[in-house]
Structures are given as C-alpha cells and as structure tokens.
Amino acid sequence: MKKAALLLLPNLIAEHKHHAPYLPASVDKAVLSLDGLIAENPHAGRRYLKRFMELRDADSVPIAICNKHSGKEDIDFLLEPVVEGQRWGFVSDGGLPCMADPGAQLVFRARQLGVAVQAFSGPSSITLSLMLSGFSAQSFCFHGYLPKEQQARQSHIRQLEEHAQQTTQIFIEAPHRNAHLLEDLLETLSPKTWLCVTWDLTLASQGVVTQPVEVWRKTPLPSIQKKPATFLISAAT
Amino acid sequence: MKKAALLLLPNLIAEHKHHAPYLPASVDKAVLSLDGLIAENPHAGRRYLKRFMELRDADSVPIAICNKHSGKEDIDFLLEPVVEGQRWGFVSDGGLPCMADPGAQLVFRARQLGVAVQAFSGPSSITLSLMLSGFSAQSFCFHGYLPKEQQARQSHIRQLEEHAQQTTQIFIEAPHRNAHLLEDLLETLSPKTWLCVTWDLTLASQGVVTQPVEVWRKTPLPSIQKKPATFLISAAT
C-alpha cells in the first residue's frame, strides 16, 4: 500500500532537455508514485510531470496550485487529499521547494496535521554558488532579495558588508534588476571586500567571478542582466 | 580532450549501499573522468571511488588529502596537477564540499590560479532540514557549530533567538554532544519560540520534530545522541 505523504520535489534551475544528470533517481520513483502534484502554476506542473512519464499519464495526474499568493485556507484545502491518504508532490518553478521559493507554509501546516513529509535533494543555486565562490561556508547567511528602493538597498548592503567580516553573505535579485544591483554593490562596498557573482548555474553559459571590489571596478562587467544570478560577499582574509 | 578542472563532488549524508537514489547521474560521469581524487582521508576517498567503478579501477586512481588541518602550501601542492591540465575531484566525508566541510580554501586558490571549478548538486543536511522544518527559507542563517563552553553557548542561543524573530536560524553539533545542546536549547529558549530538530536524514530512521519550546518541554525527547542532527529555530508566526 502506498503511504500518504507530501513529497518536496526538486526542479532544475535552468532549461535542460534531460533531467537525469541533475536530479537523483529517487525523484523519478517518487514522481511515478504521485496521486497529484502541487505546483506554482499549472503549465510548469504539467511540464514537470512530462519529464518523468508519457504524455497520457502526465495528463491524468491532477495539478493544484500553491504560490506566494496562497493563503492559510488554500493550504488546508491543498493538504486535504494527503490527510485522506493520498501522495501529493510539491514542486517550485526552479530548484528546491521552500528555498527562496513557496512551500514552507505547506510543510508547516502538514506537520501540524501529522502528515508525513519527505524531501528530496537536487540543485540549489544557494549551495552551488557557495561552493563555487571559494568563500567560507562554515557559516553563511542567505538574505533572499534586498530592498528595491536604492537608498534602503545601499544601507542594507553596508550592513551585510559588516556581517561579512565574520560570515559569508549571499543574496539574489530579480534577473531584470541584476545590473542595477551589481552597480550598487560596486559603488557601496569597500575596495578590499570580496564580491562573487554567479550566473546561469548548470548551463553551458554558467559563469562565476570572485574578486575584490577594487578589481571588479577596474575590469569589464559580465553580462548578467536577465540571467538568474547570485551575489556573495566575504572578507575572505 | 579532457578539460582540466577541480570537480566539487557530492557525497551521501548517511550509509547507503547504492548511491544512485541520492546522487544525480552527472556525478557518475564526472567521477569516471577523474585523474585523481582529493578526500578528507584516504579510506573515505577509496570507498567513494568504489561506488562508481570496479575495484581495480578504483585502486588505480591517486588519492590526495585535504582536511581542516591543511595549510596554504598544501593547497598549492594539491592544485598542481590541475594547473598542469589534469581533472581532480574533491569529496568531503559527507554531503556537499565546502558546506560546513573543508573545500573552500581549495576553490578560493583555484580561482586565483585561473583553474576551472565545477560543482555538482547532491544531498545537504542544511537544505533538507530547512525544507523539512516548515520554517521560512526566504532568508536563513547557518551558524555551523555553537561554542562548546556552556555559558558562551547559552548566550549565543539567546542571540540566535533574537535573530530568529526575522530569519530562520540553523546550526549543528558534534553528534556525541547533541543531547547536551538540546537540553541547553530547551532551558534557554522562550516557551513560544519554535524549535525543529532533524536527525538521520535520508535514512529509514530519519526523524523531524517541529514544535514550540513549551511543547518540547512537555513531551519525551527523541533519542538523537550520536546521530547526525540539525537544529533550527524560528518565530514561525
């Protein structure tokens, strides 16, 4: 008998034809066991299922929606079939559920309802960029998105720089604002602070630049606009 | 022609006979392309290779050592073959290289030497426990190990609790001290603060408990001594 559970499924962090090089085999088995899939939107959910099964089978799996607009009553509704004994997956648009993505509300409520939760590993731009940066990951803080308003953002950057004396600081930006954030960072940070920028992780176009701000200021900037990117700062001494 | 690179390879986070359910297929291909492997100790390195290749082949791959005792001159020595055009991997004893594990020094120096670095995804107790906790991972701080001395540790816990009002806090302990840390947490934290403890992730014995400190104090404690565990605190309101 299949065990009722909410399965937290990894997604790719870039467009790839085949998923096998990036997702472990346990995910294949898990997806084939699902009674339904919760996704951030119906098209992405259907596309995800088609990676693992024939078109006809993928079309027969019910899809429900959970995203940043979902409220508490939506969460209870989404978990109802699991409470009643079914296996449902949750997948975000890219990377790991919950990690700078929706999902935590689902898991939090599932725990209160005594529903089993299983998590699978997969690519995360947070861990990949920490590894690739060369900065210490003995401790680190992930901040998600910085404030949009420039003055608030610059003062936030100065705070992060202070914390970076001890602990690697990592944050992200909406891809269409990447160039602005990079400009602000180079304007605001001290010359000796180390800045790492990664983009297009897991794609052939992937890039990582790790250097002190004073070197960043003297070299041509990489073209990161509209590309998924991460930003890391460290004292790196 | 094979491209020279330092490959950051994921390891399992628990003893499993087969690695395929936990590591993506790109890792298999990467390991078979290696000219040598850097590991935290020779036995663990050899054991890792044997997961991917026949005994005779695994025995023919040279193994070098990098761990927390490695100094700057060791790092340069380790990277020499890569600088000269070879492909070497680095694997830590469990989980992802660099993440609360050695590796960052190797990557940092590799970047200075202009050596290509590739990172592969795999299981990490940090991301798995963040997902499983039900706490927000829109932002979080990973602190590694807390101070060993009890008074310093308790004052550190109080600081983390303050930060947890905004941001999920996650930390680890040497497995033989897990029970002590849990005691200290239950003694020091406020009743309404949420504490999540995970142990034995990816094993059949895996456990996750997420509840407010006041509930922790009233219920029998899970047996986590000598098991790999993570600890997370959150305001979770």
Side-chain angles (χ1 to χ4, degrees):
Chain A
M1 215 183 70
K2 289 200 298 184
K3 274 209 273 186
L6 174 68
L7 310 182
L8 304 175
L9 301 166
N11 206 341
L12 304 173
I13 53 176
E15 282 301 324
H16 290 288
K17 200 169 168 193
H18 302 290
H19 66 271
Y22 306 96
L23 304 182
S26 58
V27 177
D28 291 72
K29 211 177 144 192
V31 173
L32 296 179
S33 80
L34 294 181
D35 296 305
L37 179 67
I38 308 168
E40 288 194 63
N41 73 71
H43 305 294
R46 198 64 69 198
R47 216 161 48 232
Y48 187 76
L49 291 170
K50 283 180 194 157
R51 292 198 163 275
F52 300 90
M53 49 184 85
E54 296 292 325
L55 190 61
R56 203 165 45 172
D57 295 327
D59 279 344
S60 74
V61 176
I63 289 185
I65 303 309
C66 177
N67 54 36
K68 57 185 176 181
H69 307 296
S70 303
K72 280 194 178 171
E73 59 295 348
D74 301 317
I75 301 294
D76 275 11
F77 177 75
L78 289 167
L79 289 172
E80 229 167 68
V82 189
V83 171
E84 285 164 6
Q86 295 193 10
R87 284 170 79 78
W88 280 65
F90 173 68
V91 65
S92 73
D93 284 349
L96 299 175
C98 313
M99 307 297 295
D101 265 341
Q105 276 188 300
L106 269 176
V107 179
F108 190 70
R109 187 67 184 136
R111 299 238 164 260
Q112 291 178 314
L113 295 169
V115 161
V117 183
Q118 275 179 263
F120 295 80
S121 66
S124 157
S125 56
I126 300 172
T127 49
L128 284 172
S129 54
L130 278 160
M131 287 192 273
L132 289 166
S133 67
F135 297 160
S136 168
Q138 300 304 308
S139 68
F140 61 90
C141 286
F142 172 72
H143 297 273
Y145 300 89
L146 303 195
K148 277 185 207 175
E149 196 270 310
Q150 195 180 33
Q151 217 174 346
R153 186 164 59 190
Q154 289 186 338
S155 106
H156 207 91
I157 290 170
R158 275 185 285 267
Q159 265 179 32
L160 298 187
E161 185 172 40
E162 242 184 84
H163 296 312
Q165 296 303 314
Q166 304 290 336
T167 299
T168 298
Q169 307 290 312
I170 166 168
F171 40 98
I172 51 177
E173 182 51 288
H176 68 277
R177 282 198 295 265
N178 278 342
H180 276 112
L181 176 57
L182 183 53
E183 272 173 38
D184 274 358
L185 286 166
L186 296 186
E187 200 175 297
T188 311
L189 294 170
S190 312
K192 302 288 177 203
T193 294
W194 283 72
L195 169 67
C196 171
V197 181
T198 80
W199 62 93
D200 281 354
L201 292 178
T202 78
L203 283 175
S205 52
Q206 167 174 321
V208 179
V209 174
T210 291
Q211 56 197 13
V213 167
E214 60 190 358
V215 180
W216 272 101
R217 285 183 184 150
K218 282 183 220 151
T219 40
L221 299 185
S223 150
I224 56 170
Q225 191 67 350
K226 296 195 182 166
K227 295 175 183 168
T230 66
F231 302 83
L232 302 91
I233 57 180
S234 166
T237 46
Chain B
M1 214 183 69
K2 288 199 298 184
K3 273 208 273 185
L6 174 67
L7 310 184
L8 305 174
L9 301 167
N11 205 340
L12 303 173
I13 53 175
E15 281 301 324
H16 290 286
K17 199 169 170 193
H18 302 291
H19 65 271
Y22 307 97
L23 303 181
S26 58
V27 177
D28 290 72
K29 210 177 146 194
V31 173
L32 296 178
S33 80
L34 294 180
D35 296 304
L37 179 66
I38 308 168
E40 289 193 63
N41 73 73
H43 305 294
R46 196 65 69 197
R47 217 161 46 230
Y48 187 76
L49 291 170
K50 284 180 194 157
R51 292 198 163 275
F52 301 91
M53 49 183 86
E54 296 292 326
L55 188 62
R56 203 166 46 173
D57 296 327
D59 279 343
S60 74
V61 177
I63 289 185
I65 304 307
C66 177
N67 54 37
K68 56 185 177 181
H69 309 295
S70 303
K72 281 195 177 170
E73 59 295 347
D74 301 316
I75 301 294
D76 276 10
F77 176 76
L78 289 167
L79 288 172
E80 229 168 69
V82 188
V83 171
E84 284 164 8
Q86 295 192 11
R87 283 171 80 79
W88 280 65
F90 174 68
V91 66
S92 73
D93 284 349
L96 299 174
C98 312
M99 306 297 294
D101 265 340
Q105 276 187 300
L106 270 174
V107 179
F108 190 70
R109 187 69 183 134
R111 298 236 164 263
Q112 291 177 316
L113 295 168
V115 161
V117 183
Q118 275 179 265
F120 295 81
S121 67
S124 156
S125 56
I126 300 171
T127 49
L128 284 173
S129 54
L130 278 161
M131 286 192 273
L132 289 167
S133 67
F135 297 160
S136 168
Q138 300 305 307
S139 68
F140 61 90
C141 285
F142 173 72
H143 297 272
Y145 300 89
L146 304 194
K148 276 186 209 174
E149 197 269 311
Q150 195 180 31
Q151 218 173 345
R153 188 165 56 190
Q154 290 186 338
S155 105
H156 207 91
I157 290 171
R158 275 185 285 267
Q159 265 179 31
L160 299 188
E161 185 172 40
E162 243 184 83
H163 296 312
Q165 296 302 315
Q166 304 290 335
T167 299
T168 298
Q169 307 290 311
I170 166 168
F171 42 96
I172 50 177
E173 182 51 288
H176 68 278
R177 281 198 295 264
N178 278 342
H180 276 111
L181 176 57
L182 183 52
E183 271 172 40
D184 274 358
L185 286 166
L186 296 187
E187 200 177 296
T188 312
L189 294 170
S190 311
K192 303 288 178 204
T193 294
W194 284 71
L195 169 67
C196 172
V197 181
T198 80
W199 62 92
D200 281 354
L201 292 178
T202 78
L203 283 175
S205 53
Q206 166 174 321
V208 179
V209 174
T210 290
Q211 56 197 13
V213 167
E214 58 190 0
V215 179
W216 272 101
R217 286 182 184 151
K218 283 183 219 152
T219 40
L221 299 184
S223 150
I224 57 172
Q225 191 68 349
K226 296 194 181 165
K227 295 176 183 169
T230 66
F231 301 83
L232 302 92
I233 57 180
S234 165
T237 48

